[in-house]
Amino acid sequence: AILDGVVGEVDATWHLVRVDFAGGSLWTRDQGLAVGRRVRIRVLARDVSLAADPGTSSIQNVLQGEVDAVSDDDHPGLVLVRMRVGPSLVLARLTRRAAAALDVMPGRQLWIQVKSVALMG
C-alpha cells in the first residue's frame, strides 16, 4: 500500500518521525524531515500482521481496522486481506491457517500491526 501523509511529529529522543495519513498514523525512522512535510509511505503486505488483540509487542505501529476484502494469493496456502483504516487501505498477507484462526471476513474488526514502513522519495 502507498499512503499519502504529512510528518506530524519528530521524536528526537528515539530518532523517529510520525507520519499522519487519512485514518491513522505510523512511525518510521527519522530522515531529517520537518514537521508539515508531505510524504508518501509504503507498507508491504508481508510486513503487516493482524490480531484480535494486539497485546504487548515490539511492533510500534498498531492500527485498528476493518476487513474490507479477502482474496487468493499466488500460493494456495496464502491469502491477501485488504484492511480499511478510515478511508485508507492496507494489505496483509496471511496464511490461510492464520486467517481461519482469526475468523477473517469482510466487516470483521481487527488490529493491524505494521512491522516496517518505508518513506518514498
Side-chain angles (χ1 to χ4, degrees):
I2 304 295
L3 302 169
D4 291 315
V6 175
V7 174
E9 179 181 349
V10 175
D11 186 329
T13 301
W14 300 109
H15 307 282
L16 298 171
V17 296
R18 189 191 74 228
V19 176
D20 301 326
F21 63 92
S25 62
L26 295 167
W27 289 93
T28 189
R29 294 178 303 151
D30 183 0
Q31 296 181 13
L33 301 174
V35 170
R37 169 91 183 260
R38 293 198 169 282
V39 295
R40 298 182 88 196
I41 53 177
R42 182 179 65 196
V43 179
L44 299 177
R46 70 177 185 218
D47 293 331
V48 176
S49 67
L50 302 178
D53 177 5
T56 303
S57 169
S58 65
I59 297 174
Q60 299 291 294
N61 290 314
V62 180
L63 306 162
Q64 192 165 25
E66 179 178 310
V67 177
D68 186 62
V70 181
S71 63
D72 293 334
D73 198 0
D74 293 339
H75 188 277
L78 301 174
V79 293
L80 277 176
V81 181
R82 188 171 63 200
M83 297 294 297
R84 185 169 296 283
V85 181
S88 299
L89 297 172
V90 175
L91 293 175
R93 177 169 282 121
L94 304 179
T95 64
R96 287 186 184 277
R97 180 179 179 187
L102 288 169
D103 195 26
V104 173
M105 66 180 72
R108 174 114 159 95
Q109 298 288 318
L110 292 169
W111 291 95
I112 302 163
Q113 300 176 121
V114 181
K115 185 169 174 98
S116 178
V117 176
L119 283 171
M120 298 177 63

